[in-house]
Amino acid sequence: SDSEILYASASPIVIHDLNSNYQVFFDGHKDDITCFNVSDDGLLCASGEVGKAPCLLIWETALADDITTIGPDQPSNAPYVRGLVARLGKGFFSRGICATAFSCDKKYVAAVSCDDNHCMGVWSVATGELLANMVTGSGVPPQIRTLAWSPGSYQDTGFINKDHEEVPCDILVTGGEHNYLRFWSFKRPNKQGIGAQLSDRGHRTGKELASPPKSHNCSLFVPREDCDDPVALQYDVLTAGDNGCVYLW
């Protein structure tokens, strides 16, 4: 509901009702939570953890008792976890998970590993299948501070990959330390579930506008001004640097 907030407290996630001061807990993680993201409609949460073999857990914020866990990474002898929908990324993540984000329609979820290459994967929430993955950037983890997914599909991603023009694509953005910022085009799979692809492009900060930050700490999609796209609303990106500046891309 509008009166509820979520926050992590070591391994549980707390759902706190501000009106009643009532709390419920999602306790599916075995180690400390490193990131989480709630879908646009507030119904699903994706949460990542630290550990030797971390997984990304997808769960319903209502914490209903009649949820059936899906996905190939659900052990047959796993204990029952109230609200758990899917357990993703077994064997993909290393050390922990830096960041995660849902697509606008919550059909897909992306997450970045804490390995030295900060590998990012995109999974189908319905099947638990890994659809696409790429290296985001090398360095001592965790260097990725932010991951955001465009609020709409059918984005104009031709500036990232010309082969993605005229096909359903989403834009993702990753940001972090050492002035790291990259834009990603996610080409959605076809009806048979094949053909998904990630492509990326870096950024350039105009020196006449502002000095570049040492780190991009958070990001947000905003509607593009004077957008006349007949298919879908297009979005630009805001990032916040550690130097106190906000950048529009």
Side-chain angles (χ1 to χ4, degrees), residues 3 53 68 72 74 91 94 97 126 133 145 156 159 163 206 211 213 223 236 240:
S3 64
T68 301
Q74 173 64 7
S94 176
I97 302 172
N133 65 283
R145 299 298 185 188
D156 179 8
F159 73 99
D163 292 337
S211 59
D236 293 325

Side-chain angles (χ1 to χ4, degrees), residues 48-103:
E49 61 189 358
V50 70
K52 292 183 178 180
C55 285
L56 183 72
L57 303 188
I58 310 297
W59 48 280
E60 288 197 353
T61 55
L63 294 181
D65 291 320
D66 57 349
I67 301 300
T68 301
T69 305
I70 62 170
D73 298 330
Q74 173 64 7
S76 58
N77 60 346
Y80 171 75
V81 178
R82 184 162 62 113
L84 185 62
V85 173
R87 190 186 304 269
L88 307 178
K90 182 179 180 181
F92 180 87
F93 300 110
S94 176
R95 302 189 188 112
I97 302 172
C98 293
T100 184
F102 279 105
S103 64

